[in-house]
Amino acid sequence: MMQKIITRLQDWVDVKLRNHCDRLPKSTQRKIVLAMLGIFAFFSLSLFGYSLYRLGENEGQEMAVEHLRLLPDEITRIHKEIKP
């Protein structure tokens, strides 16, 4: 039931959107598509540039690693498992 409602809503929106877009002249449609492409290209290139900028930001710092400490009981248990 819910799937039918969603499908009908999608079809209705599709028809309305196509009608509105078809009323626009071809030159206006082309301008809208090119503007959307330009906006997408700008944001994708700016994100790529920002990622490259941040890539070497923490290069001088070493990664902190916490070592595991084994308790004496765990050490004896491990030795018993290794040596039969």
Side-chain angles (χ1 to χ4, degrees), residues 15-69:
V15 168
K16 292 294 183 183
L17 190 60
R18 282 186 190 273
N19 287 339
H20 286 300
C21 290
D22 286 341
R23 290 181 194 162
L24 294 172
K26 291 292 181 185
S27 61
T28 306
Q29 290 177 1
R30 191 175 298 121
K31 289 175 186 176
I32 290 172
V33 169
L34 289 175
M36 290 170 60
L37 179 65
I39 291 169
F40 173 75
F42 171 75
F43 281 116
S44 63
L45 289 175
S46 63
L47 181 65
F48 180 70
Y50 181 70
S51 299
L52 287 178
Y53 173 73
R54 295 275 317 243
L55 190 62
E57 190 173 272
N58 294 327
E59 197 157 329
Q61 301 175 357
E62 291 184 23
M63 187 176 6
V65 177
E66 294 182 21
H67 296 285
L68 296 174
R69 290 183 289 150

